[in-house]
Amino acid sequence: MVPGRGVKELWYRELGASRPRMCFYGDLNGHQGCVNTIHFNPAGVSGSDDKNVIVWNWATKSKEIIYHSGHLDNVFKVRVMPYTDDRTIITSAADGQVSVGQIMDNGQVSTRLLGLHNGRVHGLTIEEGAPYVFYSCSEDGLVQQFDMRSHAPTKLLLALHSRGIGYL
């Protein structure tokens, strides 16, 4: 945006006359089910109803690594932990599980369960600048903090509404 043209650019955007800021880059083919989540970072990861996680090479539009997440149901969220050389991937799913996949030097992936919810887990958020800490939220209304250096998550908050627990 050119200095001094901000109002004009905003006006054009609101009228639908501005140029799109995103454009089609290409197809990434690899999952056998509905893709529910993509995490854009230098490596790029996706998760799907097929319960697999794919690490992509954006430049070549090809799969670098594909592995079974360890989940029993659809993968809803994937995130790459910072400062891990894109080797630590956290996932959450419809089975209520929160898991981690660790990519080893030989390209194999080791997965392990980190915690459980009593409902589908739709949200994962990484704590800014922290290579070990992230948060999950679920339809059960529970927000949990995970520190991968500890053995159990910390239950932070239970969100309620007038009809009961969850589904905010």
Side-chain angles (χ1 to χ4, degrees), residues 51-122:
K51 305 175 200 108
N52 289 327
V53 173
I54 298 178
V55 179
W56 298 94
N57 179 320
W58 295 125
T60 62
K61 301 179 190 81
S62 62
K63 297 175 277 191
E64 293 278 310
I65 297 171
I66 182 168
Y67 70 92
H68 190 274
S69 65
H71 289 287
L72 305 173
D73 212 336
N74 306 355
V75 175
F76 283 154
K77 196 64 80 173
V78 295
R79 291 288 178 261
V80 177
M81 294 301 290
Y83 312 111
T84 65
D85 199 25
D86 296 333
R87 292 182 169 275
T88 303
I89 300 169
I90 54 172
T91 58
S92 65
D95 58 9
Q97 298 180 0
V98 177
S99 297
V100 62
Q102 186 67 46
I103 302 171
M104 296 177 272
D105 289 338
N106 64 4
Q108 297 296 313
V109 180
S110 170
T111 61
R112 72 180 164 97
L113 177 67
L114 295 175
L116 292 169
H117 281 269
N118 290 320
R120 295 177 286 201
V121 185
H122 293 280

Side-chain angles (χ1 to χ4, degrees), residues 6-163:
V7 173
K8 190 174 183 179
E9 294 263 338
L10 180 62
W11 177 256
Y12 285 136
R13 185 186 76 203
E14 292 302 311
L15 293 175
S18 67
R19 292 182 300 147
R21 296 190 190 280
M22 293 178 64
C23 61
F24 179 72
Y25 179 70
D27 289 322
L28 299 174
N29 296 304
H31 285 288
Q32 301 301 313
C34 176
V35 175
N36 299 313
T37 181
I38 299 173
H39 185 197
F40 293 98
N41 73 328
V45 293
S46 60
S48 162
D49 287 356
D50 63 11
K51 305 175 200 108
N52 289 327
V53 173
I54 298 178
V55 179
W56 298 94
N57 179 320
W58 295 125
T60 62
K61 301 179 190 81
S62 62
K63 297 175 277 191
E64 293 278 310
I65 297 171
I66 182 168
Y67 70 92
H68 190 274
S69 65
H71 289 287
L72 305 173
D73 212 336
N74 306 355
V75 175
F76 283 154
K77 196 64 80 173
V78 295
R79 291 288 178 261
V80 177
M81 294 301 290
Y83 312 111
T84 65
D85 199 25
D86 296 333
R87 292 182 169 275
T88 303
I89 300 169
I90 54 172
T91 58
S92 65
D95 58 9
Q97 298 180 0
V98 177
S99 297
V100 62
Q102 186 67 46
I103 302 171
M104 296 177 272
D105 289 338
N106 64 4
Q108 297 296 313
V109 180
S110 170
T111 61
R112 72 180 164 97
L113 177 67
L114 295 175
L116 292 169
H117 281 269
N118 290 320
R120 295 177 286 201
V121 185
H122 293 280
L124 291 175
T125 301
I126 298 169
E127 186 168 304
E128 189 72 29
Y132 304 106
V133 180
F134 67 94
Y135 303 86
S136 67
C137 62
S138 169
E139 291 177 0
D140 62 7
L142 183 61
V143 176
Q144 296 187 79
Q145 179 190 51
F146 291 82
D147 184 328
M148 292 192 293
R149 297 167 294 186
S150 67
H151 296 290
T154 302
K155 295 176 180 170
L156 296 179
L157 171 69
L158 183 59
L160 302 173
H161 60 75
S162 61
R163 293 182 302 220

